[in-house]
Amino acid sequence: MLEYFFTEEQQMMIDTAREIGEKKIIPVRAQYDEEQAFPHDVFKAIADADLTGVYIPDEYGGCAGDTGIMNMCLVTEELSKYCGGISLSFAGTALGTLPILISGDDEQKKRWLPRIASGTLAAFGITEPDAGSDAASMRPTAVRDGDDYIINGTKLFISNGGEADIYSIFAMTDKAKGARGCSCFVLEKGMDGFTFGKKEDKMGIRASCTRELIFQDLRVPAANRLGREGTGFMTAMKTFDNSRPGVGSQALGIAQGALDLAVDYARQRKQFGRPIIANQGLQWMLADMAMQVEAARALVYATARWIDAGAKRPTGASAMSKCFASDVAMKVTIDAIQVFGGVGYTKEYPIEKYARDAKITQIYEGTNQIQRDEIALALIKEAARK
């Protein structure tokens, strides 16, 4: 890997995440994938190592400094080298936290962020049966009733759903205004009228929990609304600007983990009396994989650092980092299976799992087709400003 000039604290985060991956994740990842078990014990180890606060400001119990998004990406990448599903307990919590960081006032941040920094799981709820990529068409309603809102509706495909204690969710406070009628609320597990539905049986990231959220006459204090009424859609879009490099880093970690396994296997596997890595055709395949991974890493890191530096319009770059890295992850994991040959297609080796885990990174937090729309729109806006 190239030298990216991490701070001493960032290198410690990477080293700590690596130790958790080697000691806590590798021994259980196959079992958790098979059983679809949520990795509470691994997440506790992540929290006990003080990694759950790496993207949260110091004044709220974290240790983000001025590199919160970069820190989030580094830890997500390192954990994802060992299991993309288990790493999502961390990454999904970061996603659920970002709306509070972006739109919460000081009192709200003091209320929820120290809990998350110390290891409380969080989740982000925007997707619905008819509102995936088209987030502006969401249906759940939040009707003002005195000092409260009454929320009704459902959310679908929510990572950490049912396991998290804190949820940033979006509902319509004025449907007549379209996207400008959307507001963001923080919910807590155990509230009356807040229940969980179907747990999805997924192709990949099976060690994460993906559930439906159900709101039935759920009474939420107005003090749980983030920002002004009607600013929820803007909160969601700003969240994605900050979170998409995190998806890129998950994809990056999966790709790097697959490449590492492929190189190790190619050095050990012998055919015709020599290791298969001695074959030039396979060397070129590995070389292409390595170039793709390093290019993705450079893009993800550059985007994360730009956001931390206060970028005003990171939407295009954020979409690029997510889109490029996830496409790389899919290509590299499939090529890694090819390096393994027939055994790579079996569950005897972990490489098939990497391909299954990689696929979702091309889909969630905006499909890669939507990312290309965002990139093109950013190009158009940039040209118009000249």
Side-chain angles (χ1 to χ4, degrees):
M1 190 173 75
L2 296 174
E3 174 60 66
Y4 287 99
F5 305 102
F6 302 130
T7 66
E8 183 179 348
E9 291 78 11
Q10 288 173 335
Q11 190 59 57
M12 288 176 61
M13 293 172 193
I14 295 169
D15 293 342
T16 301
R18 179 178 300 120
E19 184 176 1
I20 291 171
E22 292 174 349
K23 294 182 178 179
K24 300 291 186 180
I25 296 179
I26 288 178
V28 299
R29 62 187 178 188
Q31 178 184 351
Y32 280 21
D33 179 74
E34 183 69 25
E35 298 177 358
Q36 297 194 79
F38 191 84
H40 283 288
D41 54 343
V42 179
F43 188 75
K44 184 178 185 303
I46 295 169
D48 289 346
D50 294 327
L51 293 178
T52 44
V54 298
Y55 51 86
I56 293 174
D58 302 41
E59 60 266 35
Y60 301 112
C63 56
D66 57 1
T67 57
I69 299 301
M70 186 63 178
N71 296 348
M72 176 189 73
C73 287
L74 292 176
V75 174
T76 299
E77 176 190 354
E78 193 61 37
L79 294 173
S80 299
K81 290 178 184 178
Y82 305 96
C83 178
I86 291 177
S87 72
L88 192 54
S89 61
F90 171 84
T93 293
L95 175 61
T97 306
L98 282 171
I100 303 172
L101 289 168
I102 291 166
S103 297
D105 59 32
D106 185 60
E107 183 178 338
Q108 290 170 326
K109 290 177 180 178
K110 288 178 178 176
R111 181 178 173 188
W112 290 302
L113 294 182
R115 290 171 56 192
I116 296 171
S118 64
T120 296
L121 285 157
F124 178 89
I126 196 168
T127 304
E128 301 168 17
D130 296 315
S133 297
D134 183 12
S137 66
M138 65 185 71
R139 293 186 176 181
T141 57
V143 179
R144 188 69 183 251
D145 182 25
D147 292 333
D148 300 327
Y149 286 87
I150 308 299
I151 300 180
N152 283 282
T154 61
K155 296 291 180 180
L156 195 66
F157 301 144
I158 307 305
S159 298
N160 290 351
E163 306 296 337
D165 290 303
I166 297 171
Y167 296 77
S168 297
I169 69 100
F170 299 81
M172 301 302 292
T173 44
D174 188 345
K175 287 203 168 194
K177 293 182 178 179
R180 295 186 179 183
C182 171
S183 298
C184 183
F185 300 87
V186 177
L187 310 182
E188 299 208 32
K189 188 176 181 178
M191 285 179 163
D192 289 341
F194 181 21
T195 57
F196 306 100
K198 178 185 177 184
K199 178 180 178 180
E200 302 296 337
D201 185 1
K202 305 186 298 294
M203 166 184 164
I205 58 166
R206 290 168 59 85
S208 71
C209 184
T210 307
R211 273 202 182 92
E212 180 184 26
L213 311 184
I214 301 171
F215 319 125
Q216 187 170 10
D217 295 328
L218 167 61
R219 184 172 290 273
V220 180
N224 285 36
R225 189 191 68 225
L226 298 177
R228 299 189 312 277
E229 189 172 286
T231 60
F233 188 73
M234 185 64 67
T235 295
M237 296 304 101
K238 289 181 179 179
T239 294
F240 288 140
D241 283 349
N242 284 267
S243 69
R244 281 171 176 159
V247 179
S249 64
Q250 182 191 25
L252 174 59
I254 292 170
Q256 183 66 62
L259 174 59
D260 292 344
L261 289 175
V263 171
D264 288 345
Y265 182 79
R267 291 176 65 235
Q268 297 167 15
R269 172 68 168 167
K270 291 185 177 181
Q271 289 286 281
F272 307 105
R274 62 178 185 170
I276 62 173
I277 202 168
N279 296 303
Q280 188 180 62
L282 192 141
Q283 290 176 0
W284 285 5
M285 180 184 291
L286 293 171
D288 284 341
M289 294 160 69
M291 284 190 288
Q292 292 158 10
V293 169
E294 206 61 59
R297 178 174 289 113
L299 180 55
V300 169
Y301 287 5
T303 304
R305 283 174 165 158
W306 190 40
I307 292 171
D308 282 332
K312 292 183 179 179
R313 300 184 181 93
T315 303
S318 183
M320 285 182 188
S321 66
K322 187 269 189 190
C323 185
F324 185 77
S326 58
D327 282 350
V328 163
M330 202 66 242
K331 176 69 164 60
V332 167
T333 54
I334 292 297
D335 284 348
I337 292 175
Q338 190 72 18
V339 172
F340 275 75
V343 296
Y345 199 68
T346 72
K347 289 194 174 184
E348 180 180 354
Y349 288 80
I351 196 63
E352 58 84 31
K353 176 183 177 303
Y354 280 76
R356 289 189 287 110
D357 288 348
K359 185 59 194 174
I360 191 61
T361 64
Q362 293 181 308
I363 298 172
Y364 59 16
E365 292 191 42
T367 66
N368 281 7
Q369 288 69 38
I370 289 293
Q371 303 312 309
R372 287 174 167 84
D373 284 345
E374 293 279 15
I375 295 163
L377 182 59
L379 289 172
I380 293 167
K381 288 181 177 179
E382 183 178 353
R385 286 193 293 267
K386 293 179 179 178

